[in-house]
Amino acid sequence: MLGTKNIPRTRKSVESMFAQLGGYAKRAWKSDYARFMEMHKTLEPYLKEQFGDGKRLRGETVNGKVPTTLRLSAALRFWCGAPVYDIILSHGLGRQTIYNSIYGCANAINKCPDMDFNAFGAPFPSQEEQHEIAAGFRAKSAADCHQIMLAVDGMLVWTNQPSKEDCQDLNIGERNFHCYRKDKFGVLLMAGCDHRCKFRWADVKHPGCTSDYTAFVTSQLGMDLMHPDQDIVADGLTMIGDNAFVETDTMAIPIPGKYLSRYQDAYNFYLSQIRITIERAFGILVHRFGILRSPMSVSIKKVPAIVMCLMRLHNYYIDHCGRKCESPWVEDKRRIQYRAWRSKSRAVTLNKDRTPEDLLGLATILTT
């Protein structure tokens, strides 16, 4: 007998699943039902473009069409960390239908202009947006830093060992996807975020063994910044990164070394206070989408599209779902102040508000 037997399944309603889970639904989908339907309304034209009218080429199934709401729900549950076999039971969908929904929804989200990183679909913030970001960072900085427009860093996206067929198609060896420092297979995500932990630039084109610096300078942004007459970064503004990068006119990094002067220590202190924003953005992204906390069980060729989709959803959730990301800054400041107070190797004077007065006075190097 040719082909596979159709397993009778009952399509579940997204509304009924939200109702059954109650308050836990927000953990499962990272949004409530009203926000979910709002997102579906935004994506509906692009979902229909991906899935058509829902009919199969070889005829109708006993289970009927799959609505786009159910496809989006299954994709979100998968990205949030739910196993495929649990989604089969909860949604009444077949395994292949779920994977088709995952890839189709990712393509729809990446095509939707309402979920672009920047205005008009630009891959990098415009100079006007850069000044807005710099003002946001300045409001967060205890040293009144007004020159920073983007925090940049890299993160390994954990995957299974890629197949030989995929590596041959990509013309990249299997071992190149292995990160020896973390002993994991994956691809390198380079990204930059603003003061609200929203991603404003990203590049997912390098295997896991690539260093952050190499990935950055060989990205389209890195190559464009090498031109002497580049006008990508506004005058007087700069990006910030860690010591994996190299200091340039458009990139500020901490001063390396152990025995630093008080001025240099002040510079590193307040630079790190802003640079940690990208670490927080990665942490929120991984905590929000459980698929990133274990090896991604999809083809290595589909990983970049899924990662870009998750970053767009991350930005969408910050804008539309739940509280904003500004509040952790208060706790971050307290931790920094407490560690400065605990430091015994440096003479740091704290005022009654537990603010390091000496460092505040020396941080003018960042604002001049």
Side-chain angles (χ1 to χ4, degrees):
M1 181 177 180
L2 298 177
T4 58
K5 183 179 179 180
N6 287 322
I7 301 175
R9 294 188 176 92
T10 303
R11 307 283 191 226
K12 305 295 177 62
S13 165
V14 175
E15 184 177 7
S16 66
M17 287 189 285
F18 269 89
Q20 289 175 7
L21 280 178
Y24 296 104
K26 198 166 185 178
R27 294 185 180 181
W29 284 272
K30 307 303 179 184
S31 68
D32 55 26
Y33 180 69
R35 296 296 186 187
F36 173 84
M37 293 306 297
E38 182 181 335
M39 181 193 300
H40 177 267
K41 184 177 180 181
T42 302
L43 295 172
E44 190 171 11
Y46 306 95
L47 292 172
K48 288 183 177 180
E49 180 183 338
Q50 291 293 320
F51 302 111
D53 56 4
K55 293 183 178 180
R56 295 196 316 171
L57 296 178
R58 55 191 178 96
E60 295 288 344
T61 67
V62 295
N63 302 314
K65 300 178 183 178
V66 181
T68 52
T69 52
L70 202 59
R71 289 187 181 274
L72 180 60
S73 173
L76 287 174
R77 290 293 297 118
F78 179 82
W79 294 329
C80 291
V84 171
Y85 302 107
D86 287 349
I87 301 175
I88 292 175
L89 296 175
S90 62
H91 287 66
L93 300 175
R95 181 177 180 273
Q96 190 57 50
T97 302
I98 292 173
Y99 276 108
N100 291 340
S101 300
I102 292 166
Y103 304 141
C105 288
N107 292 335
I109 291 170
N110 288 333
K111 289 183 178 181
C112 180
D114 291 336
M115 292 193 176
D116 286 336
F117 288 165
N118 305 292
F120 308 109
F124 196 76
S126 65
Q127 294 195 5
E128 181 180 355
E129 291 173 317
Q130 292 175 31
H131 286 289
E132 293 176 0
I133 297 171
F137 276 129
R138 182 177 188 177
K140 301 297 181 182
S141 173
D144 197 36
C145 304
H146 63 276
Q147 299 169 329
I148 299 170
M149 48 72 59
L150 208 66
V152 181
D153 203 0
M155 184 187 84
L156 180 70
V157 179
W158 193 7
T159 68
N160 288 325
Q161 180 174 350
S163 66
K164 292 182 179 180
E165 292 76 13
D166 287 346
C167 291
Q168 290 175 355
D169 292 341
L170 297 172
N171 197 25
I172 301 175
E174 293 178 56
R175 302 303 298 179
N176 288 333
F177 288 97
H178 183 257
C179 176
Y180 292 90
R181 182 170 62 88
K182 297 186 176 180
D183 195 22
K184 295 178 180 178
F185 285 94
V187 296
L188 181 62
L189 163 63
M190 295 298 302
C193 74
D194 62 14
H195 59 288
R196 296 180 58 202
C197 294
K198 289 181 59 177
F199 294 108
R200 309 302 293 267
W201 169 79
D203 181 270
V204 199
K205 298 179 181 178
H206 295 82
C209 71
T210 313
S211 68
D212 289 358
Y213 173 73
T214 302
F216 180 76
V217 297
T218 56
S219 66
Q220 187 61 51
L221 173 63
M223 291 187 290
D224 291 341
L225 290 174
M226 291 182 183
H227 294 292
D229 56 345
Q230 65 84 22
D231 59 352
I232 300 173
V233 178
D235 292 339
L237 299 182
T238 182
M239 297 178 285
I240 55 173
D242 57 20
N243 290 105
F245 298 90
V246 175
E247 184 177 7
T248 63
D249 293 340
T250 57
M251 177 67 72
I253 64 172
I255 299 173
K258 184 177 180 180
Y259 302 102
L260 303 177
S261 68
R262 297 171 66 191
Y263 287 97
Q264 293 172 327
D265 184 67
Y267 175 86
N268 286 354
F269 181 89
Y270 288 103
L271 190 73
S272 297
Q273 186 190 33
I274 301 298
R275 196 199 66 79
I276 201 174
T277 308
I278 184 62
E279 307 289 356
R280 290 177 49 226
F282 285 146
I284 296 170
L285 180 71
V286 173
H287 179 75
R288 179 170 279 149
F289 299 108
I291 188 178
L292 298 175
R293 296 197 292 269
S294 59
M296 199 176 294
S297 57
V298 298
S299 169
I300 198 72
K301 295 188 292 185
K302 297 183 181 295
V303 170
I306 292 178
V307 172
M308 293 296 290
C309 161
L310 298 182
M311 298 174 73
R312 290 166 182 264
L313 284 175
H314 165 91
N315 291 354
Y316 181 88
Y317 284 136
I318 289 178
D319 287 334
H320 298 87
C321 304
R323 65 177 176 82
K324 303 296 187 294
C325 294
E326 287 86 351
S327 55
W329 278 91
V330 177
E331 184 64 23
D332 290 344
K333 184 177 179 180
R334 289 174 182 168
R335 290 175 182 172
I336 293 172
Q337 292 168 348
Y338 177 71
R339 290 181 181 180
W341 175 71
R342 287 284 304 270
S343 177
K344 296 181 180 179
S345 60
R346 309 182 195 281
V348 178
T349 304
L350 302 180
N351 61 17
K352 63 180 181 179
D353 297 325
R354 299 176 63 82
T355 301
E357 292 180 327
D358 293 341
L359 295 182
L360 282 172
L362 298 172
T364 54
I365 187 173
L366 284 175
T367 60
T368 57

